[in-house]
Amino acid sequence: MDNLEDDIRALQLDSSAEDSNTVPNENGEEPKELVASDNVEEDLRDESYIDPQTVHSEPKDVAEVKEQTPAAPEPIVDEVEKEKKRHLNVVFIGHVDAGKSTIGGQILYLSGQVDERTIQKYEKEAKDKSRESWYMAYIMDTNAEERVKGITVEVGRAHFETETTRFTILDAPGHKSYVPNMISGASQADIGVLVISARKGEFETGYERGGQTREHVQLAKTLGVSKLLVVVNKMDDPTVNWSKERYDEIESKMVPFLKSSGYNVKKDIQFLPISGLHGTNMQTRMDKKVCPWWSGQCLFEALDAIEVPPRDPNGPFRMPIIDKFKDMGTVVMGKVESGSVREGNSLLIMPNKVQVKVLALYCDDDKVRSAGPGENLKVRLSGIEDEDILSGFVLSSIEKPIQAVNEFVAQLQILELLDNAIFTAGYKAVLHIHSVVEECEIIELMHQIDPKTRKPMRRKVLFVKNGAAVVCRIQVSNMICIEKFLDFQQLGRFTLRTEGKTVAIGKVTDLRA
Ligand code: GTP
Ligand code: MG
């Protein structure tokens, strides 16, 4: 196990090495380039494919828990007003039933977005479904299936503000069947709240191999979630009762795992105990009578203080599309990964290379005139029909358009193959890269990376097994828009999944059209 975890770290998804495409070696010698980075001309031979199967479901907006007022003319929010506060997208991740939706619901309640009447209504509804304690989660879990089963299916989206920051909450599902939805949620996030249940037995199941605590952490890191708040939840539970021993046990088990997943525990990780159900240590620091040993921050304070690297508003515009719909034109949704956009701008939809014009921009459902990197936007466009757009397409600058490829070279870290299968040319998997979900096939294993020296091994390999690091050529049948990891981490890191399990993580090292 240790070896495997070392290997994951060696894939250099850890923040200290993110801007390097080189492999350090143990002797501290000059790092060596792994793959030459020659630029490949873009080539859009297949400009017109449409595959409805890859369209995601629209994330559900859940901040509609107060009486709605009839539609009024849309006021334009002055962007200066909006920019006073920074904006962060925070994804809630963790094993099924850890309490993600409960915490999300509690945040909305504590920040005054849910009135008592609504809470009482949910209490009754939850009771009728024999799910008494689920009423807080109902604020985030809005559809019938979710409420009956008590699990999140679609990523819930809501907004709240602290002193310094506007947050968009993305409440991911923890159930293993919905990992693709979690991936889509995490790919829109800047930071994450990893929720862990302290209840007896629950921490253990989530942390086991095959549990989603592990899978979510690895995916989050791969998808660019740079910082994690690890909240140890359900501290009020009778099996825990705010026990320091239990909290310390969980922290001491999580730390090595977080390290091995590429997080710098000192810089990127912060632990805190809470009760999502009761709202303890969330908006205000908790009473010493509840928990005498904790004198640290509460959740809102910690979120407020999190620092993320500044984003470049002047880079080439890139917004991967996660969803689209028709509403007085074509509206696309996504997170701006680079550059800025203004009403009236002309842009390109890639890979089908259609020029479009920005008619209107919405940020947190407010109409805005312009928006910068990190914002989750709805963009109304003219010049294209919604059926000509798929999730995974990228809204891109015309001057510096994103490349479209059907083949690329990548450095892969094999995590765990199904039934210890072997990984060889011909291996098929589902590729998840930003908002793209595509079938892919490994065309060639180019070379393996020596687990000890981290150098490419000379001998050609025909297959590798669990834990191997390997450079290979990957092909997709439809054109996709991606970037080299070196140029653009968010659009150049990916995961491979087979039959609902994450089998490898990787980064794009070269593009081939
Ligand atoms: P999925 O979305 O299905 O992954 O689950 P989730 O992480 O969103 O968990 P959810 O919020 O639905 O909560 C699951 C159960 O844990 C519910 O019964 C909650 O009432 C309970 N729960 C959540 N937080 C707490 C807590 O702080 N204390 C206690 N005692 N129970 C909690
Ligand atoms: Mg949930």
Side-chain angles (χ1 to χ4, degrees):
M1 193 60 216
D2 278 355
N3 270 345
L4 172 62
E5 290 177 350
D6 281 352
D7 286 346
I8 298 168
R9 190 163 27 184
L11 186 58
Q12 294 182 322
L13 297 169
D14 66 303
S15 21
S16 54
E18 266 173 355
D19 49 2
S20 162
N21 190 35
T22 53
V23 176
N25 63 38
E26 284 174 346
N27 312 325
E29 292 163 13
E30 270 300 283
K32 192 165 157 45
E33 276 281 318
L34 247 189
V35 178
S37 55
D38 52 322
N39 254 323
V40 180
E41 287 294 315
E42 61 163 317
D43 174 5
L44 299 176
R45 262 162 296 175
D46 180 1
E47 294 186 352
S48 58
Y49 84 87
I50 289 167
D51 175 6
Q53 290 193 332
T54 60
V55 178
H56 283 272
S57 60
E58 186 181 343
K60 55 185 197 272
D61 228 311
V62 293
E64 293 161 4
V65 282
K66 278 193 166 173
E67 301 285 301
Q68 296 289 307
T69 39
E74 296 170 290
I76 296 182
V77 175
D78 188 346
E79 59 259 45
V80 183
E81 256 315 294
K82 283 222 125 192
E83 278 162 13
K84 264 195 213 150
K85 282 194 180 183
R86 64 179 186 152
H87 176 225
L88 282 184
N89 302 291
V90 49
V91 67
F92 285 66
I93 56 173
H95 196 68
V96 67
D97 278 356
K100 301 173 290 297
S101 303
T102 301
I103 295 167
Q106 185 67 258
I107 287 176
L108 296 190
Y109 177 63
L110 290 171
S111 57
Q113 300 184 58
V114 191
D115 49 32
E116 286 298 336
R117 252 197 32 227
T118 309
I119 292 283
Q120 282 161 13
K121 201 178 89 193
Y122 289 168
E123 267 178 322
K124 182 166 182 313
E125 187 182 339
K127 206 167 176 190
D128 291 345
K129 294 194 166 73
S130 305
R131 291 201 173 275
E132 276 89 337
S133 65
W134 256 267
Y135 63 95
M136 274 290 167
Y138 277 14
I139 299 171
M140 301 300 293
D141 291 337
T142 48
N143 73 41
E145 181 194 0
E146 293 177 322
R147 289 186 177 179
V148 170
K149 293 190 183 154
I151 56 170
T152 304
V153 177
E154 287 168 17
V155 175
R157 187 194 289 269
H159 311 285
F160 84 106
E161 294 189 11
T162 57
E163 287 285 303
T164 64
T165 315
R166 288 184 298 121
F167 286 99
T168 300
I169 301 177
L170 300 155
D171 174 30
H175 194 281
K176 59 177 181 300
S177 307
Y178 306 115
V179 174
N181 291 356
M182 175 273 171
I183 291 175
S184 140
S187 70
Q188 299 164 59
D190 307 291
I191 58 165
V193 172
L194 170 65
V195 182
I196 293 180
S197 168
R199 184 182 284 162
K200 193 169 180 217
E202 287 190 356
F203 163 65
E204 286 72 15
T205 346
Y207 185 67
E208 270 166 16
R209 275 181 154 232
Q212 273 57 55
T213 306
R214 279 170 186 272
E215 187 174 20
H216 281 195
V217 168
Q218 287 167 342
L219 288 170
K221 184 66 199 173
T222 320
L223 293 162
V225 176
S226 58
K227 307 238 167 165
L228 283 183
L229 284 182
V230 184
V231 299
V232 180
N233 188 35
K234 307 198 188 180
M235 289 297 291
D236 62 289
D237 187 84
T239 65
V240 186
N241 200 13
W242 298 96
S243 150
K244 183 171 186 316
E245 288 66 40
R246 180 63 167 162
Y247 179 83
D248 289 344
E249 178 196 356
I250 292 171
E251 179 168 341
S252 67
K253 288 197 172 137
M254 284 305 297
V255 162
F257 174 69
L258 289 163
K259 272 191 194 158
S260 70
S261 303
Y263 283 100
N264 178 327
V265 173
K266 274 211 186 87
K267 279 193 346 219
D268 306 334
I269 304 280
Q270 191 182 339
F271 283 82
L272 51 139
I274 65 164
S275 162
L277 191 59
H278 300 296
T280 319
N281 206 33
M282 288 184 59
Q283 194 177 31
T284 51
R285 290 193 179 201
M286 69 186 142
D287 197 330
K288 284 264 187 267
K289 277 188 228 132
V290 176
C291 180
W293 51 268
W294 181 256
S295 51
Q297 289 181 318
C298 61
L299 181 63
F300 279 36
E301 270 179 289
L303 283 169
D304 217 23
I306 264 188
E307 279 183 28
V308 292
R311 308 178 183 101
D312 177 15
N314 300 318
F317 187 73
R318 301 280 186 266
M319 185 184 102
I321 294 170
I322 53 168
D323 205 4
K324 47 87 196 258
F325 52 92
K326 211 186 253 187
D327 179 18
M328 297 190 296
T330 300
V331 179
V332 294
M333 290 174 57
K335 179 179 161 202
V336 181
E337 292 293 359
S338 154
S340 304
V341 59
R342 224 167 219 292
E343 236 177 48
N345 278 170
S346 291
L347 295 168
L348 215 51
I349 297 255
M350 292 293 284
N352 50 355
K353 242 185 174 174
V354 176
Q355 191 167 329
V356 291
K357 195 162 176 189
V358 176
L359 298 179
L361 291 168
Y362 298 85
C363 173
D364 297 354
D365 292 325
D366 295 324
K367 198 160 191 278
V368 292
R369 289 214 172 85
S370 67
E375 296 289 358
N376 278 305
L377 296 182
K378 291 192 180 109
V379 186
R380 178 170 292 128
L381 300 170
S382 66
I384 194 159
E385 292 300 322
D386 66 325
E387 56 265 25
D388 294 334
I389 302 174
L390 289 178
S391 63
F393 282 14
V394 177
L395 196 55
S396 160
S397 92
I398 297 182
E399 298 74 32
K400 287 190 183 158
I402 188 167
Q403 292 196 38
V405 298
N406 59 11
E407 196 184 308
F408 59 97
V409 178
Q411 185 180 326
L412 275 186
Q413 178 65 50
I414 314 292
L415 298 176
E416 206 176 343
L417 300 165
L418 295 181
D419 305 322
N420 291 321
I422 53 166
F423 189 86
T424 167
Y427 188 93
K428 291 197 173 79
V430 180
L431 168 75
H432 291 260
I433 182 163
H434 61 85
S435 55
V436 169
V437 184
E438 276 284 341
E439 291 272 339
C440 73
E441 182 174 342
I442 308 303
I443 299 301
E444 183 194 353
L445 301 192
M446 296 167 73
H447 52 254
Q448 194 173 352
I449 292 163
D450 188 314
K452 291 218 173 67
T453 63
R454 299 282 160 229
K455 287 183 182 169
M457 286 157 58
R458 286 244 173 83
R459 206 160 40 85
K460 178 108 185 137
V461 278
L462 290 177
F463 66 90
V464 291
K465 292 185 176 169
N466 282 348
V470 62
V471 174
C472 54
R473 282 200 297 139
I474 302 180
Q475 201 175 62
V476 280
S477 40
N478 295 313
M479 297 298 261
I480 57 170
C481 295
I482 57 176
E483 300 265 11
K484 280 197 268 184
F485 180 81
L486 239 189
D487 298 339
F488 223 126
Q489 293 168 26
Q490 296 289 39
L491 306 180
R493 46 172 33 132
F494 63 89
T495 56
L496 293 185
R497 307 189 82 240
T498 313
E499 290 177 30
K501 270 187 72 183
T502 304
V503 293
I505 54 179
K507 59 182 184 182
V508 177
T509 53
D510 207 357
L511 299 176
R512 296 181 181 190

